[in-house]
Amino acid sequence: MSHKVIERINNFGVMAKPSSSVCNIDCTYCFYLEKEHLYPDRKKQWRMDDTTLENYIRDQIQSQKGDVIDFVWQGGEPTLLGVDFFRQAIAFQQQYRGYKTITNSLQTNATLLNEEWALFLKEHQFLIGVSIDGDRISNDTYRLSRKGKSTFDDTLNGLALLKKHNVDFNTLTVVNAENVKRPLNVYAFLKRIGSQYMQFIPLVERKAIVPDRDGLILIQPTFEGESNLAEWSVPAKAYGKFLNTIFDHWIQQDLGKIFVMNFEQTMSQLAGRPGACVFSETCGNGLAMESNGDVYSCDHYVYPEHKLGNVNETSLIELVNLPQNLKFGEDKLTNISTDCHQCEVRSVCHGGCPKHRFEPSSDGLLNRNYLCDGFKSHFSHAVPKMSETIGLLSHQTPIKKVKQEIKKRFYS
């Protein structure tokens, strides 16, 4: 069995959730909304307080070795905190930054954005990630308000404000059981609304028949009780087809104009640079922090057994290097499916995210990735074309010529 020891993590990220799981809309598939069961007092004390905010910002700056410090704000819905919360965050960043450069990104459903927000985000050069699952039909299948109303128009209104004030944004699209059927429709829609950087995140969740001891229904891979695949989860093969359909259009038409995270990060990996954590050999360097300062090994592993500590008590650099977290990162490699060892796409896949490893492998162990067939289909289809593209670009071939060559060699 392969084994790789992570000696020490010096470069890591933190996904901060200052509004915790609190959100103004009620996405059917949201795995984070039910985290309120882990914090019973959350309805009254859901906001990150100034002490925790200051401790986090100071420690994040001091714990990172690089000269650029990235702050990633997510939720729930972080704009529920109001602009003044982030004004205070900026003030703390300026107080502790020293010579370092600070960047901020914020993931939002965009429904609460107004002129004040847009002006603030532009002034402080926030990068905004807008969650949208496609056109009205796709978006409103699972992304409705708490009253069951459409959120589509409110999201587009928020997006219009970002464009009006030239705020940089990208789009995050959850690929689910509905929109996976219409890949080019989704892609064309995102282009029409001005997205030049897209992310397509596969939706895979299992629902316990009976809630676990913490009251959670959406479960992690180690759950041993009875469960079913959530009905909104994307079928594995369909996800591979979805990516391949968009890829074939993108590489012939939009290479160099539209950036698709799923493709760009694989190409980065093929070129010998870091790619997405999902497809890295090991993990453990992407922490998640709750609004009270509790720190977990990963955004997808906010469960009591994966809590590392609290930023108000222990520094982030200490938490990320705890034996518990290093083992969490190593387990991604050591617990890889036996089927992966002989797989032709292992070098770019590495078994995918551990959260999705719950299918039986050929040896009977429940550690094969649910999305395996989709990944294999996509990487087998796309990697040869990506490798050819990298080779052409390395010889300073103009983008227009690259697209022509790829079309001639693979699609004619």
Side-chain angles (χ1 to χ4, degrees), residues 273-289:
R273 298 187 296 272
C277 70
V278 172
F279 300 122
S280 298
E281 271 194 301
T282 58
C283 56
N285 61 349
L287 305 178
M289 189 185 72

Side-chain angles (χ1 to χ4, degrees), residues 110-159:
T111 62
L112 300 177
L113 296 181
N114 55 26
E115 288 283 342
E116 182 184 20
W117 267 112
L119 289 168
F120 169 82
L121 296 171
K122 178 61 178 177
E123 178 185 359
H124 297 287
Q125 298 181 302
F126 273 61
L127 171 63
I128 304 304
V130 176
S131 297
I132 187 166
D133 287 352
D135 61 15
R136 185 183 298 275
I137 294 173
S138 292
N139 193 73
D140 285 351
T141 300
Y142 299 116
R143 299 183 61 82
L144 296 175
S145 73
R146 292 192 171 277
K147 294 183 178 180
K149 304 293 186 181
S150 171
T151 62
F152 183 73
D153 290 333
D154 287 341
T155 297
L156 288 193
N157 289 339
L159 195 58

Side-chain angles (χ1 to χ4, degrees), residues 296-314:
Y296 295 82
S297 290
C298 174
D299 176 41
H300 290 286
Y301 280 81
V302 178
Y303 301 96
E305 52 268 50
H306 294 287
K307 179 181 169 181
L308 300 174
N310 190 289
V311 75
N312 290 305
E313 301 163 358
T314 312

Side-chain angles (χ1 to χ4, degrees), residues 22 34 56 61 73-74 114 133 141 143 184-185 197 207 214 222 226 233 238 247 260 293 305 308 337 349 394:
V22 177
E34 68 171 6
Y56 164 56
I61 293 171
W73 308 98
Q74 206 180 61
N114 55 26
D133 287 352
T141 300
R143 299 183 61 82
L184 289 183
N185 178 286
Y197 190 100
K207 297 166 68 175
D214 299 304
T222 55
E226 191 177 355
S233 297
F247 175 82
V260 180
E305 52 268 50
L308 300 174
S337 162
C349 176
S394 70

Side-chain angles (χ1 to χ4, degrees), residues 49-322:
D49 60 43
D50 284 355
T51 298
T52 302
L53 178 64
E54 181 174 9
N55 287 341
Y56 164 56
I57 288 175
R58 181 182 62 248
D59 191 70
Q60 169 81 323
I61 293 171
Q62 293 175 352
S63 290
Q64 301 288 353
K65 301 299 182 185
D67 292 337
V68 179
I69 311 298
D70 301 315
F71 285 89
V72 180
W73 308 98
Q74 206 180 61
E77 176 50 47
T79 59
L80 283 169
L81 293 158
V83 176
D84 285 344
F85 174 89
F86 289 96
R87 287 196 178 101
Q88 183 62 70
I90 294 293
F92 286 141
Q93 289 172 352
Q94 295 306 309
Q95 180 179 346
Y96 294 109
R97 64 187 288 266
Y99 65 88
K100 296 185 178 182
T101 300
I102 304 294
T103 73
N104 286 280
S105 59
L106 184 147
Q107 188 69 35
T108 177
N109 57 45
T111 62
L112 300 177
L113 296 181
N114 55 26
E115 288 283 342
E116 182 184 20
W117 267 112
L119 289 168
F120 169 82
L121 296 171
K122 178 61 178 177
E123 178 185 359
H124 297 287
Q125 298 181 302
F126 273 61
L127 171 63
I128 304 304
V130 176
S131 297
I132 187 166
D133 287 352
D135 61 15
R136 185 183 298 275
I137 294 173
S138 292
N139 193 73
D140 285 351
T141 300
Y142 299 116
R143 299 183 61 82
L144 296 175
S145 73
R146 292 192 171 277
K147 294 183 178 180
K149 304 293 186 181
S150 171
T151 62
F152 183 73
D153 290 333
D154 287 341
T155 297
L156 288 193
N157 289 339
L159 195 58
L161 282 168
L162 297 178
K163 291 190 285 188
K164 173 184 174 182
H165 293 281
N166 296 311
V167 179
D168 291 335
F169 73 93
N170 57 41
T171 52
L172 189 153
T173 298
V174 174
V175 185
N176 54 61
E178 193 284 326
N179 63 3
V180 73
K181 303 170 187 175
R182 302 180 296 132
L184 289 183
N185 178 286
V186 171
Y187 181 71
F189 170 79
L190 295 175
K191 284 175 62 177
R192 285 199 304 274
I193 63 173
S195 178
Q196 295 182 306
Y197 190 100
M198 308 173 186
Q199 303 176 57
F200 296 108
I201 308 300
L203 177 60
V204 181
E205 295 289 350
R206 289 187 302 157
K207 297 166 68 175
I209 301 299
V210 177
D212 69 10
R213 64 180 182 273
D214 299 304
L216 302 180
I217 293 290
L218 301 179
I219 54 175
Q220 59 174 313
T222 55
F223 180 79
E224 296 180 353
E226 191 177 355
S227 66
N228 294 313
L229 189 71
E231 60 272 20
W232 52 77
S233 297
V234 63
K237 290 182 179 179
Y239 180 61
K241 184 178 179 181
F242 178 94
L243 290 179
N244 287 344
T245 303
I246 292 176
F247 175 82
D248 287 341
H249 178 89
W250 170 81
I251 201 164
Q252 295 179 77
Q253 304 293 330
D254 294 330
L255 181 69
K257 296 188 297 184
I258 303 295
F259 296 87
V260 180
M261 180 273 286
N262 309 68
F263 309 147
E264 303 286 347
Q265 293 207 339
T266 301
M267 293 178 73
S268 178
Q269 197 167 330
L270 291 170
R273 298 187 296 272
C277 70
V278 172
F279 300 122
S280 298
E281 271 194 301
T282 58
C283 56
N285 61 349
L287 305 178
M289 189 185 72
E290 267 285 337
S291 62
N292 69 342
D294 284 349
V295 177
Y296 295 82
S297 290
C298 174
D299 176 41
H300 290 286
Y301 280 81
V302 178
Y303 301 96
E305 52 268 50
H306 294 287
K307 179 181 169 181
L308 300 174
N310 190 289
V311 75
N312 290 305
E313 301 163 358
T314 312
S315 72
L316 291 166
I317 193 66
E318 291 180 78
L319 293 174
V320 78
N321 283 290
L322 286 175

